[in-house]
Amino acid sequence: MSGELVIGQDGLGRCPWGLEAETMADYRVYHDTEWGRPVRGDDALYERMCLEAFQSGLSWLTILRRREGFRAAFAGFSIAKVAAFTDADAERLLADPGIIRNRAKITATIANARVAAEWAPGELDALIWSYAPEPAAAPRTAADVPAVTPESAALAKDLKKRGFRFIGPTTAYALMQACGLVNDHLAGCHAREGAGAR
């Protein structure tokens, strides 16, 4: 893959990973309608944070295809409900074929809900969005898209200091991309309009 904008069979320009989307409808829909669009709300951001953590070391397509399984397993990513999970729930999740059965990621998901449940409503949203950088020029190729930024490193550090687990600078940047804090759709990508924080 060249890393440059690709033109799909539908004639629309997409980010290079949109090339894969040509044969994988769920990937294309995610790219076209969700990735990079602003996400607000504590539970919604908690869900994305968890999914990005589960994706670590895996393909995003693997996570997308199990997303409904994750939602069922983790009570729709309700912070309050997941915070109340017990050790028995963690064991149940380790046996659930609808999710990625990784003990460290499962326990981090529960622990993170317990941290967030102690916060005031809207506090997680406000904290994450406080790290949105100023808008930047559209990247021309995939090589122009960073894996880590000073803002993502600072966000990860802040979350860890507050007790969150399994969130490093790379995962934090993936969260920022997915939730529209940054707009990393390439110049000319049809999905770029409407994406991004501002």
Side-chain angles (χ1 to χ4, degrees), residues 145-185:
V145 178
V148 174
T149 63
E151 294 86 359
S152 75
L155 173 58
K157 183 177 181 180
D158 196 350
L159 288 168
K160 284 183 178 181
K161 180 181 73 176
R162 295 166 188 262
F164 282 84
R165 300 186 203 167
F166 230 99
I167 180 94
T170 302
T171 300
Y173 193 67
L175 174 70
M176 294 170 82
Q177 290 176 302
C179 295
L181 280 76
V182 295
N183 185 352
D184 277 344
H185 284 285

Side-chain angles (χ1 to χ4, degrees), residues 18-59:
L19 184 63
E20 295 176 50
E22 280 299 303
T23 56
M24 301 175 199
D26 42 1
Y27 218 30
R28 183 176 62 246
V29 169
Y30 176 72
H31 170 273
D32 289 0
T33 65
E34 194 171 349
W35 189 75
R37 307 237 176 229
V39 173
R40 300 306 299 247
D42 294 341
D43 288 347
L45 287 164
Y46 167 71
E47 174 183 358
R48 297 299 187 82
M49 184 188 303
C50 296
L51 294 177
E52 293 295 345
F54 272 101
Q55 186 271 332
S56 181
L58 301 170
S59 145

Side-chain angles (χ1 to χ4, degrees), residues 42-185:
D42 294 341
D43 288 347
L45 287 164
Y46 167 71
E47 174 183 358
R48 297 299 187 82
M49 184 188 303
C50 296
L51 294 177
E52 293 295 345
F54 272 101
Q55 186 271 332
S56 181
L58 301 170
S59 145
W60 181 245
L61 188 58
T62 299
I63 302 303
L64 269 184
R65 289 182 170 165
R66 295 184 186 201
R67 193 173 191 182
E68 292 310 314
F70 277 110
R71 285 176 171 162
F74 288 101
F77 289 100
S78 161
I79 291 170
K81 290 178 181 175
V82 178
F85 278 17
T86 63
D87 289 346
D89 289 306
E91 292 305 315
R92 169 184 57 81
L93 292 166
L94 281 166
D96 188 337
I99 66 169
I100 305 301
R101 294 173 283 183
N102 177 296
R103 184 177 297 276
K105 293 176 182 181
I106 288 169
T107 57
T109 299
I110 297 168
N112 291 347
R114 290 177 181 157
V115 171
E118 297 295 317
W119 294 9
E123 195 172 347
L124 180 62
D125 179 289
L127 174 74
I128 290 172
W129 275 90
S130 74
Y131 286 94
E134 289 299 315
R140 308 295 300 176
T141 71
D144 298 329
V145 178
V148 174
T149 63
E151 294 86 359
S152 75
L155 173 58
K157 183 177 181 180
D158 196 350
L159 288 168
K160 284 183 178 181
K161 180 181 73 176
R162 295 166 188 262
F164 282 84
R165 300 186 203 167
F166 230 99
I167 180 94
T170 302
T171 300
Y173 193 67
L175 174 70
M176 294 170 82
Q177 290 176 302
C179 295
L181 280 76
V182 295
N183 185 352
D184 277 344
H185 284 285

